[in-house]
Amino acid sequence: MQSLIGTGVALVTPFKKDFTVDVEALKKIVNFQIDNKIEYLVVLGTTAENVTLSPEEKELVIQTVIEANQGRVPLVLGLGGNNTTNVIEELRTRDLSAFVAILSVSPYYNKPTQEGIYQHFKAIAEVSPKPIVLYNVPGRTGSNMLPSTVIRLANDFKNIVAIKEAAGDMVQAMSLIQNKPKDFLVISGDDMIALPMVLAGGSGVISVIGEGIPKLFSEMIRLGLQHKVKEAYDIHYRVADGIDLIFEQGNPAGIKEIFRYLGLSENTVRLPLVNVDQNLASKIENFVKNL
């Protein structure tokens, strides 16, 4: 899975002011990423406000990204959930031909045991026609997928090829990197520690801030992969304040504020999310302007 080394970005779903999907804005955002040299795109992840989209809207988003991309960079599809049977059914019925892999989140809300998490992904791996990137994000799921569970899955199923690790825990990330099978990828899901994870042996990042400043952030990750530590950290410290800002009042409200400032889309989010307040919007605008 060399195509997943470097910087992937978790695409937002831009909405018009009337809350409908803004197809033209999504095309602009896709082109903005590719023109600024990101390595791949993740469709219908958390940042896409996936849980507020109807099935028809999800199809619209998928087809819009495929058409805008025109095969220029690899695509990964967010396909997971907390109902194992439903995930399996979608894997069996959905056309995945345009995607190099699926990103599948650890079951949320149910709070399964480690054995439950293992059995969930075992069932998925046994039917998936595409390689699987596990997604561990305890802050959203309510449970942490432990390194021992990840390594067990990686050893048992050759089509489980990577993890997006978003626990925000460097010790856990280093344990994964230390004990993983040789070709298994540990990808940061936390923008603030993406560079330290890469320098520790990780394979890159699936980023949110990278979507707003793709050229600079993807260059930082490439420098990290080349072990050009000083140059990479020079960029990290330029963008670190911006990472804090875009998450201060929730994702994707912060990153959509960057897109509003750049003229790529409206900053509209769907309830229960709300826009960032004016004070934070001004700080985000100043960050981008000064950068």
Side-chain angles (χ1 to χ4, degrees), residues 197-230:
M197 281 182 63
V198 165
L199 293 173
S203 297
V205 64
I206 294 176
S207 178
V208 178
I209 189 71
E211 192 172 2
I213 49 172
K215 186 174 184 179
L216 198 58
F217 201 81
S218 60
E219 177 62 15
M220 179 191 78
I221 297 299
R222 281 189 285 272
L223 288 167
L225 289 167
Q226 296 165 20
H227 298 287
K228 295 182 178 179
V229 179
K230 182 184 182 302

Side-chain angles (χ1 to χ4, degrees), residues 92 121-128 132 157 159:
R92 285 175 168 159
F121 283 114
K122 175 179 184 289
I124 290 172
E126 288 173 343
V127 302
S128 178
I132 299 164
F157 302 98
N159 61 340

Side-chain angles (χ1 to χ4, degrees), residues 127-138:
V127 302
S128 178
K130 292 290 181 176
I132 299 164
V133 180
L134 307 173
Y135 181 15
N136 184 40
V137 57

